[in-house]
Amino acid sequence: MKILVINSGSSSLKFELIDMTNEKTLAKGICERVGIANPIFTYKNLVKGTKIDKQEAPMENHSIAIDLVLKTLQDKEHGVITNVDEIDAIGHRVVHGGEYYDDSVVVDDEVIKNLEDVSALAPLHNPANIMGIKVMKELLPDKKNVVVFDTAFHQSMLPEAYMYAFPYEDYTELKVRKYGFHGTSHKYVSELVREVLGKEDSKIIVCHLGNGASISAVKNGKVVDTSMGLTPLAGVMMGTRTGDADPAAALYVMEKRGLSLKEIDTRMNKKSGILGIFGESSDFRDLEAAMEAGNERAKLAYDMFCYRVKIYIGAYAAAMDGVDAIAFTGGIGENGSDPRETICEGLGYLGLKFDAEKNKERISGTVELSKPDSKVKVYKVETNEELVIARDTYRLTK
Ligand code: ADP
């Protein structure tokens, strides 16, 4: 059984073909600048170890891009299958499922209608995701398509956690509430940690710290709370996003600078966060390098980032009445030993004893970073969102 995972964005399209008999990736790649000038195609055959590195390729639209993906997967030189019939089903990442879905679902006309209905909540993402599904249905009409939502895993939150104290009709009429994102990652990591802990009753805090960052509290396998909100702007500070801020600050900046709605949206989503404070880059490695060279704004951004993650951990320990394990994942969470140490240093009050030496070792896979007598375990876990999408697609179509 082979599952093709598609993550269709507005101008990019990521793909991965996974063999479900052993959950190994056969090939993966990305189409960039789809529909704009100078499109680029990158592809890796993990069976033979061959690759196509950032090659220019005509991709005027998503249909041509997906067609190129399918042709390359079957190509004599780079391919991993001889015929598209070997692909059993397609799993699509969809950002927003609104309140319609608390699990992945097999695509039919009603699903497409519901996705279009919630598109207003994720105008940059859902339309592009839907386009990927429609193109796939056109190109491979006999195959089943499954959608896996960023929001679904968080649907277990109780109203007390997901409601905003706006007038109630903003919830009933406009669907304004907390939804949460990165659900596939939070699910994968929390399930893995639950298995490692070896107990059903578990309180796990997952810190997904990448360019986008979110934290979730997962009690007995169910999300109790998560840091992102109606959109992925809320929560901890991110590469280019503000994270939590007084909502009135946005109104004030808008008024004082004479910004339009679109301009304040861009300012908070694309020009803030680490980039906004540090001023030179949104990349955490650049930030750490500048900090080492004595850049004070880099140090401030680093301190703000770690502080905010730490206070979310405290809040989520409170939300679950305790915590058994904290897991770090995402580009920064998996690789950034310094931020992990800075964050965990201030958590001794929870009974956490951090193993600073182990934390510095660069070991791949799941690694325990707490001392054996620590009351709260700390893990570094490599997330795998594509595998969650492939597993759900397999589960719903086999
Ligand atoms: P995205 O949200 O785009 O998927 P990733 O999860 O790939 O992002 O994370 C990207 C972030 O991870 C970048 O800020 C990058 O600098 C950071 N990162 C990658 N490697 C390291 C490292 N060795 N140390 C610290 N940060 C790192």
Side-chain angles (χ1 to χ4, degrees):
M1 183 106 184
K2 294 186 181 85
I3 304 286
L4 178 61
V5 175
I6 296 281
N7 182 350
S8 171
S10 56
S11 66
S12 74
L13 189 136
K14 287 188 201 154
F15 61 93
E16 187 161 334
L17 186 68
I18 301 178
D19 183 348
M20 295 314 287
T21 53
N22 52 14
E23 296 194 335
K24 291 265 183 277
T25 299
L26 301 171
K28 64 179 182 179
I30 177 165
C31 307
E32 290 170 280
R33 306 180 58 83
V34 177
I36 47 182
N38 312 318
I40 301 165
F41 183 64
T42 303
Y43 174 91
K44 203 167 175 184
N45 174 328
L46 284 105
V47 182
K48 293 191 216 152
T50 58
K51 45 179 165 174
I52 301 172
D53 203 15
K54 292 192 180 287
Q55 209 170 76
E56 281 215 21
M59 290 185 277
E60 291 94 66
N61 57 45
H62 283 63
S63 182
I64 299 174
I66 294 182
D67 194 47
L68 173 67
V69 170
L70 295 176
K71 286 204 171 103
T72 311
L73 288 171
Q74 303 168 74
D75 175 289
K76 272 223 166 61
E77 192 184 348
H78 295 289
V80 285
I81 51 176
T82 46
N83 193 297
V84 282
D85 284 343
E86 288 179 48
I87 300 172
D88 294 279
I90 301 114
H92 298 263
R93 178 195 181 202
V94 170
V95 166
H96 223 305
E99 287 188 327
Y100 284 113
Y101 300 104
D102 62 3
D103 193 5
S104 305
V105 62
V106 179
V107 175
D108 59 18
D109 292 344
E110 193 194 339
V111 171
I112 302 258
K113 196 179 127 296
N114 290 343
L115 294 184
E116 284 168 345
D117 187 46
V118 296
S119 275
L121 296 173
L124 296 178
H125 296 105
N126 266 35
N129 302 153
I130 296 166
M131 185 155 54
I133 298 168
K134 286 185 172 167
V135 167
M136 215 68 235
K137 277 166 70 82
E138 251 172 58
L139 293 177
L140 301 177
D142 300 335
K143 307 286 176 193
K144 278 195 176 149
N145 289 270
V146 169
V147 288
V148 180
F149 301 95
D150 265 29
T151 50
F153 187 52
H154 301 301
Q155 278 291 306
S156 53
M157 283 185 287
L158 294 175
E160 66 198 42
Y162 71 67
M163 284 299 289
Y164 292 144
F166 276 61
Y168 195 71
E169 60 269 25
D170 289 350
Y171 169 63
T172 52
E173 294 167 12
L174 304 178
K175 303 186 171 87
V176 171
R177 52 160 281 185
K178 176 187 281 197
Y179 291 95
F181 299 87
H182 287 144
T184 47
S185 178
H186 288 287
K187 181 171 189 230
Y188 177 81
V189 172
S190 60
E191 282 177 358
L192 197 149
V193 170
R194 200 176 180 202
E195 252 182 69
V196 172
L197 288 174
K199 53 183 205 169
E200 283 290 296
D201 291 346
S202 56
K203 297 167 181 173
I204 300 165
I205 297 175
V206 179
C207 305
H208 178 112
L209 310 178
N211 207 12
S214 65
I215 304 194
S216 66
V218 187
K219 189 174 179 180
N220 307 334
K222 300 244 183 283
V223 174
V224 168
D225 207 342
T226 190
S227 62
M228 282 179 168
L230 172 74
T231 76
L233 179 61
V236 291
M237 174 175 159
M238 306 176 217
T240 61
R241 293 174 230 165
T242 54
D244 294 341
D246 180 350
L251 304 178
Y252 185 77
V253 171
M254 241 177 122
E255 191 195 2
K256 288 291 172 193
R257 296 197 180 280
L259 304 182
S260 66
L261 267 179
K262 197 165 181 295
E263 285 166 335
I264 190 72
D265 186 73
T266 304
R267 194 171 181 84
M268 295 177 78
N269 273 293
K270 304 253 166 76
K271 297 183 178 170
S272 297
I274 288 170
L275 175 66
I277 298 297
F278 169 34
E280 291 176 23
S281 166
S282 61
D283 192 285
F284 212 84
R285 284 163 294 193
D286 295 345
L287 177 83
E288 290 192 316
M291 198 168 74
E292 269 171 40
N295 183 313
E296 283 182 15
R297 275 174 57 178
K299 169 86 170 86
L300 172 63
Y302 176 90
D303 289 345
M304 286 170 68
F305 179 84
C306 296
Y307 174 77
R308 285 159 176 236
V309 174
K310 194 175 68 177
I311 61 173
Y312 257 103
I313 292 173
Y316 286 174
M320 295 190 289
D321 192 11
V323 51
D324 298 313
I326 299 167
F328 289 96
T329 193
I332 302 167
E334 290 169 28
N335 304 298
S337 51
D338 286 349
R340 285 193 307 245
E341 184 174 341
T342 310
I343 293 161
C344 290
E345 257 175 4
L347 298 172
Y349 74 96
L350 289 172
L352 189 158
K353 291 186 189 166
F354 192 64
D355 190 335
E357 290 312 309
K358 186 84 174 285
N359 179 52
K360 287 191 182 74
E361 293 171 18
R362 302 193 70 83
I363 311 167
S364 62
T366 304
V367 183
E368 188 176 329
L369 303 175
S370 44
K371 294 202 166 140
D373 62 339
S374 179
K375 235 177 90 195
V376 180
K377 302 281 176 208
V378 180
Y379 298 97
K380 177 212 83 158
V381 178
E382 288 166 15
T383 195
N384 193 339
E385 294 169 88
E386 288 72 23
L387 185 56
V388 175
I389 297 173
R391 280 179 184 167
D392 275 12
T393 306
Y394 179 59
R395 167 172 62 87
L396 292 170
T397 58
K398 73 179 172 196

